[in-house]
Amino acid sequence: MSEQDSVGFERLIEGYRRFRANGWVPNHERWATLREGQSPDVMVIACSDSRVDPAQIFDVDPGEVFVVRNVAAMVPPFETTPGHHGVSAALEFAVQFLKVKEVVVMGHGMCGGCKAALSQEMLGTEPGQGGFIADWIAMLDEARERVVAQHGTQGRAAEQAMELEGVKVSLANLRTFPCVRSKERSGELRLTGAFFAISDGLLHVLDETTGAFSPTV
């Protein structure tokens, strides 16, 4: 381990010690309950970006939300081809076994994955050199065409339009899963689109009837 890595991990250890003193010990009964299992009502699909931690943004305790994070908060469409379907597996577990009542897709401002989808700067790169990212964000290609037609490929307006479109694409892909579609139809499951703006700390919620995101105050 390099000195730089050691410094970084030591910072995490310091945080762990604070957690043990201030988070775990005072809430021992809560943790004892969680030892027996989890029953979150909400699944949050968010970006891996270090600036947008759902637990921090929504101020929730352990056990309250089931979280999946990946580049650009994307949900792939339902498919049964061989492969490692990480997001699909997590979704299946949350919906079918944990029986969450709501799935929230939360995009965010200044998203590097959405910006790369817009610029296509990684298109044609080799796996390990950007190719994995390029393949992943290719899910946004169709949405990109709409954004480019209205905003071009550069500037904050285009980037934010791409970020908002990403949320809508993931919601549409969620509805390709039979278990999600049937549970939403029966009222057992609700899907929600959200967007967290890093610049001002405001959370916006999607109205799927109008297609507009409005700030929550």
Side-chain angles (χ1 to χ4, degrees), residues 16-82:
Y16 158 73
R17 289 172 179 144
R18 291 192 299 272
F19 159 73
R20 281 285 298 179
N22 304 317
W24 195 86
V25 172
N27 298 293
H28 184 264
E29 289 185 8
R30 169 68 173 167
W31 287 101
T33 300
L34 290 175
R35 181 182 61 194
E36 304 303 320
Q38 59 173 323
S39 56
D41 288 332
V42 180
M43 176 184 191
V44 179
I45 300 170
C47 185
S48 299
D49 193 299
S50 62
R51 299 166 291 182
V52 286
D53 178 9
Q56 183 178 44
I57 293 169
F58 295 115
D59 191 25
V60 292
D61 290 326
E64 290 191 61
V65 292
F66 184 79
V67 179
V68 171
R69 301 178 70 178
N70 62 56
V71 173
M74 293 304 302
V75 176
F78 178 78
E79 56 184 4
T80 57
T81 56

Side-chain angles (χ1 to χ4, degrees), residues 112-150:
C114 288
K115 184 176 181 180
L118 182 65
S119 67
Q120 294 193 328
E121 60 189 273
M122 296 184 183
L123 190 65
T125 56
E126 294 294 323
Q129 302 297 320
F132 288 128
I133 298 172
D135 287 345
W136 181 251
I137 58 178
M139 286 187 279
L140 293 171
D141 282 353
E142 186 175 335
R144 176 185 182 274
E145 293 180 8
R146 295 192 294 271
V147 171
V148 172
Q150 186 172 357

